[in-house]
Amino acid sequence: MKRTTQALGALGVVLFSASMGLADPVDDTLIINEETEIVTRTAAPAHISDALDEVMSGWLFRGAETRAMQADDFDNPGMIFVEQAEEKWASADGSEGKSCADCHGAPEEMAGVRPVYPKWNEAAGEVRTLEMQINDCRTTRMGADKWKYTGGDMVNMTALLASVSRGMPVDVAIDGPAQSTWEQGKELYYTRTGQLELSCANCHEDNYGRMIRADHLSQGQINGFPTYRLKNTKLNAVHSRFKGCIRDTRAETYDAGSPEFVALELYVASRGNGLGVEGPSVRN
Amino acid sequence: MASGVKPRVKVPKTAAAGEAVTIKTLISHKMESGQRKDDDGNVIPRSIINRFTCDFNGENVIDVTLEPAISTNPYFEFMATVPEAGEFKFTWYDDDGSIYEDSKSIAIG
Amino acid sequence: MELTRRQAIALGAGALLAAHLPHTAYAAGEEAIQAFTGGAALADTGITLTAPEIAENGNTVPIEVSAPGASEIMVLALGNPTPPVATFKFGPLAASQSASTRIRLAGTQDVLAIARLADGSFAQAKATVKVTIGGCGG
């Protein structure tokens, strides 16, 4: 495993060296419901091969009990919310009297959608997250109100759409019309923010595998989102997690659904190209 | 009834007569502990599921008293003997008087 | 239920007090044990308590209790503001006197399980669980 520890700011050095324990990710295999094997480590995609040799799911950085909770749909509390989304999926809403199912069929028909989002939308001329696409469906096709970007209905629906793609490799496109958004996301990933002057990379590229106080730093991959956190016992959207991380650098954060976070999501997703979709995952 | 409460249970569809089967249950519930305060400093009143029972054909398998230290979305796993074909009945009792029920049939085969 | 950082710190401080001082929560634990056992002696065999040595978050800690032949098992978190956690009563169709659940721990502390065994005697098992908090409060 290659580590680059240079270029840490003074504060960063203090932060990590206070508990500089090395704790490598576990050597374990994630098989869900004894049938779906998830790729939790694989060769890094070419576009980040200068920074990482291997990309790893956050699942490998969690304790045995937390890992076990994700390996069975009954034990995974995130699946409660997937079931709630299944009901919404089949319920008509809005002036057109249509449900998701009326156009799309069973949720399983959506297998393969999650792994390619965020994705360039030609008609709209923008990169869209799954949340943006869901709200476009709601307003344009159903005549319904938008859901709050990180609200319960939305995060539940993204969990349902992730769950039917579990095990499929993340495969977001970063070239062509998506490239400038991806570049913007990359810029954000390496930009230090806040009073602590930490970028995403300072923790999740330079120091993954180390302990930050009592926590085991992962690579910050997002193939497991939305994620059920033991901490707040609910599903957490990826933009909520971005906000949490940036807030913890003591910075003003961007808003969920903002162009900056859309770009960052595309870039971070692309760092996990090849990892299996896990949502809803279970984390601490 | 507290909002969004939904029981889930996992029971095998069949068993041999006299076999021990594993049962898992999960119910979506906030389990408000009564220890927390709201933004104005007022204690948020306790609101939990305080009892869970599982019976098979009218005979008891397990009877659990829950306290506020049981996590959000209470989960239980235990083992039951299946003497004959029949029905498991699961009951959760809420502080607010609500009762949530679920049942699962099991065949001998 | 979500604990804010401030509440978690307050709870953790409470747990420390409970561990070192005669204190209402500690007394409540003693009372619960007294009520369950009637002051009977506690054997150290006949019951097992499985809990993680380190819990990644105190809000959701998986535990398992098992006491072959027991009629009931009480679980206490001695460092919680209110120590009782759950009591499992096993009926005639329980195939084993064991159960798993997920519990809340206010901080690093001892979890105690006491079983009323088939012969009416009592046995206890204890496990220390270290409760960790996140890297930067996120």
Side-chain angles (χ1 to χ4, degrees), chain A residues 22-88:
Chain A
L22 261 181
D24 280 329
V26 295
D27 185 12
D28 198 358
T29 306
L30 174 56
I31 300 172
I32 292 179
N33 302 330
E34 296 176 353
E35 58 184 22
T36 308
E37 183 164 346
I38 309 277
V39 174
T40 55
R41 59 199 304 164
T42 189
H47 64 86
I48 54 162
S49 60
D50 56 333
L52 298 173
D53 293 336
E54 207 179 18
V55 289
M56 290 175 249
S57 162
W59 183 81
L60 294 169
F61 296 81
R62 301 277 55 89
E65 293 83 13
T66 312
R67 294 201 307 277
M69 217 180 273
Q70 195 188 320
D72 181 292
D73 276 357
F74 198 89
D75 294 348
N76 181 346
M79 294 306 287
I80 293 173
F81 304 101
V82 167
E83 288 181 4
Q84 290 177 5
E86 281 171 356
E87 286 173 18
K88 288 273 180 199

Side-chain angles (χ1 to χ4, degrees), chain A:
Chain A
M1 216 183 303
K2 183 171 133 190
R3 296 183 191 288
T4 47
T5 46
Q6 74 273 25
L8 268 181
L11 272 167
V13 170
V14 171
L15 197 62
F16 297 113
S17 61
S19 54
M20 197 60 119
L22 261 181
D24 280 329
V26 295
D27 185 12
D28 198 358
T29 306
L30 174 56
I31 300 172
I32 292 179
N33 302 330
E34 296 176 353
E35 58 184 22
T36 308
E37 183 164 346
I38 309 277
V39 174
T40 55
R41 59 199 304 164
T42 189
H47 64 86
I48 54 162
S49 60
D50 56 333
L52 298 173
D53 293 336
E54 207 179 18
V55 289
M56 290 175 249
S57 162
W59 183 81
L60 294 169
F61 296 81
R62 301 277 55 89
E65 293 83 13
T66 312
R67 294 201 307 277
M69 217 180 273
Q70 195 188 320
D72 181 292
D73 276 357
F74 198 89
D75 294 348
N76 181 346
M79 294 306 287
I80 293 173
F81 304 101
V82 167
E83 288 181 4
Q84 290 177 5
E86 281 171 356
E87 286 173 18
K88 288 273 180 199
W89 181 265
S91 309
D93 196 3
S95 59
E96 302 302 308
K98 282 198 267 190
S99 71
C100 309
D102 288 335
C103 289
H104 296 290
E108 290 72 22
E109 299 289 319
M110 304 299 277
V113 173
R114 170 73 270 180
V116 298
Y117 271 83
K119 184 184 173 190
W120 176 258
N121 182 303
E122 190 60 47
E126 63 183 4
V127 169
R128 280 191 176 170
T129 61
L130 203 48
E131 285 89 341
M132 291 161 76
Q133 198 57 51
I134 289 168
N135 267 341
D136 184 73
C137 260
R138 287 186 58 78
T139 53
T140 311
R141 304 199 185 270
M142 298 168 71
D145 289 338
K146 277 187 180 184
W147 278 333
K148 182 170 179 270
Y149 197 90
T150 55
D153 283 330
M154 181 64 90
V155 74
N156 292 357
M157 188 57 71
T158 62
L160 172 62
L161 294 176
S163 71
V164 298
S165 288
R166 280 183 297 178
M168 301 174 79
V170 175
D171 185 22
V172 295
I174 63 172
D175 53 3
Q179 192 181 344
S180 62
T181 306
W182 181 82
E183 299 279 0
Q184 186 197 357
K186 183 177 182 182
E187 179 75 27
L188 286 164
Y189 188 86
Y190 287 100
T191 301
R192 291 166 183 272
T193 61
Q195 291 175 316
L196 295 184
E197 294 188 66
L198 290 168
S199 71
C200 306
N202 290 146
C203 284
H204 296 293
E205 181 174 294
D206 301 336
N207 284 289
Y208 69 87
R210 287 198 166 86
M211 300 302 287
I212 180 165
R213 297 207 297 174
D215 202 5
H216 195 190
L217 268 175
S218 74
Q219 287 186 345
Q221 298 288 355
I222 58 172
N223 57 307
F225 277 84
T227 186
Y228 183 90
R229 295 189 69 186
L230 305 180
K231 169 194 155 102
N232 58 17
T233 60
K234 63 176 187 181
L235 286 178
N236 293 256
V238 69
H239 287 199
S240 303
R241 194 69 194 89
F242 288 165
K243 271 185 102 158
C245 260
I246 295 175
R247 179 202 62 212
D248 290 340
T249 70
R250 302 187 188 168
E252 288 285 338
T253 83
Y254 302 105
D255 289 329
S258 63
E260 290 84 359
F261 274 174
V262 172
L264 185 60
E265 181 180 342
L266 174 63
Y267 177 69
V268 178
S270 80
R271 291 175 68 96
N273 269 354
L275 292 174
V277 170
E278 284 178 38
S281 63
V282 182
R283 301 287 188 261
N284 57 326

